[in-house]
Amino acid sequence: MLFRSVGPLAGIFFDNLRFTPESKAAWINLLKKVRSACGDDMPILVNAGWSSTDLAWVAPYVHGIQFEDAIHHLADKARDTEQFYARVAKFDALVRRPSISVNEVYGKRTSVMGRTRELMRTLVYTNVAFLWADSTHGHKHAWHPEWNLPLGEPASEPAAPSPGKLARRDFTGGTVLWLPASAKAPQTVKGKKLIKAQIFGSGSILREALRAQQILKDHYGVSADVWSATSYNQLRREALQAQRWNMLHPEKPEKKSYLETLLEKESGPFIAASDYMKLESDRIDRWVPGGLFSLGTDGFGRSDTREALRRFFEVDAECITIAVLNQLAKRGEVKKTHVSKAIKELEIDPEKVDPVLA
């Protein structure tokens, strides 16, 4: 799971409740009785519903307050997304510790990327975990597989929602970065549709990927989507499992791997940048549409500043930019002369020794 288990695998969940001023006294009395009967360590979670607003009074009695399906309520009632998460974080700060709140996301959300994006946003802004409910089959609840991320436990407090500002939160097993939608690069510049590209960033190089995204948009008319790749090993393992299942079930419809499902509708070349060897990201090449062009730190260890080392191994934002433009040129979407011009503008030495041989 995403967080450390809370005591034994038992708890109480009050679903579909509506807390009103009139029912407040009755609810307090009931929750006190439950606490008295079950003890202070028994996890209690309540689904307050979106319409409940005065919830500070219930927080001391429970380990979490569930707000159903952020996307659903935001779409229906035109509420600001960051305000929603500010509200969730407000009450999460008041509940008993450890917090075990859940944000329910309905199965009618068919986009895996859409669900994953909401998970990333929730992890950054709150201590809330996620539950998937299939609303078309009797609200059958289950943890969705791609949400069991190997992030470990929170190592920092939730970020404060701020439109247009990159938010970061550290976990013992990784870091989650979230760029609010209001800061997303526009799809057109001066009336001209931008060329698409995809960049996978890992670890500390994710920041370089985000910087490359800005350079590409501002100077070269390319709209690059940046993906946080936390485990190429896990992506390959899951893809091989799907491949094995298809081999052993030749008469059944083929299963697609999580990676194939995630990328099948994306366009543009795919570039991976990390401070691992290129072989690490190359391992998922066969499941990436059109293949994957990898940048990495192949070569001998060196001592220098981070900036100098990233340029030496050609994994900084400028080199990522050139890799994107180069792959676009091979697809005929930009001219090769534009790539040469960018190499000069970004002050990259095309005659430098290959890092593997240096």
Side-chain angles (χ1 to χ4, degrees), residues 318-334:
E318 290 77 12
C319 289
I320 295 172
T321 299
I322 297 304
V324 171
L325 294 174
N326 175 266
Q327 292 303 299
L328 286 169
K330 287 189 174 183
R331 295 161 60 98
E333 296 186 58
V334 302

Side-chain angles (χ1 to χ4, degrees), residues 85-266:
Y85 279 97
R87 181 185 180 195
V88 173
K90 170 186 174 182
F91 292 110
D92 181 67
L94 298 176
V95 299
R96 300 165 74 96
R97 289 300 185 238
S99 167
I100 56 168
S101 298
V102 170
N103 187 12
E104 180 178 324
V105 180
Y106 295 116
K108 62 187 177 184
R109 307 284 168 245
T110 56
S111 168
V112 173
M113 177 50 62
R115 294 195 302 262
T116 305
R117 282 173 178 162
E118 189 178 351
L119 169 63
M120 294 295 106
R121 179 168 50 198
T122 301
L123 287 176
V124 168
Y125 290 145
T126 74
N127 284 319
V128 176
F130 259 51
L131 189 68
W132 171 54
D134 188 341
S135 59
T136 62
H137 294 84
H139 285 263
K140 182 179 180 181
H141 293 70
W143 290 99
H144 207 280
E146 67 261 28
W147 294 343
N148 295 328
L149 304 178
L151 290 173
E153 302 169 37
S156 63
E157 291 301 311
S162 179
K165 181 180 179 181
L166 181 68
R168 171 193 175 107
R169 193 174 186 201
D170 296 318
F171 294 80
T172 56
T175 297
V176 175
L177 298 174
W178 176 258
L179 188 63
S182 56
K184 187 177 180 180
Q187 294 303 300
T188 60
V189 172
K190 297 180 180 179
K192 181 179 179 181
K193 185 174 177 62
L194 296 178
I195 302 167
K196 289 296 298 181
Q198 312 294 327
I199 304 174
F200 295 168
S202 299
S204 61
I205 304 303
L206 181 58
R207 289 182 177 273
E208 296 298 314
L210 289 168
R211 195 159 65 84
Q213 178 189 50
Q214 196 67 36
I215 295 172
L216 286 161
K217 179 182 78 72
D218 291 344
H219 301 287
Y220 301 106
V222 176
S223 175
D225 293 336
V226 175
W227 305 65
S228 176
T230 58
S231 175
Y232 288 109
N233 185 48
Q234 182 61 32
L235 288 171
R236 177 180 172 82
R237 183 183 297 121
E238 194 277 336
L240 287 174
Q241 288 173 349
Q243 178 179 287
R244 175 182 178 273
W245 191 94
N246 293 334
M247 179 185 72
L248 298 176
H249 301 81
E251 296 182 37
K252 293 186 178 181
E254 286 202 347
K255 286 185 177 181
K256 290 185 178 180
S257 67
Y258 167 63
L259 185 60
E260 290 171 306
T261 302
L262 202 61
L263 303 180
E264 61 183 349
K265 295 182 180 180
E266 303 299 333

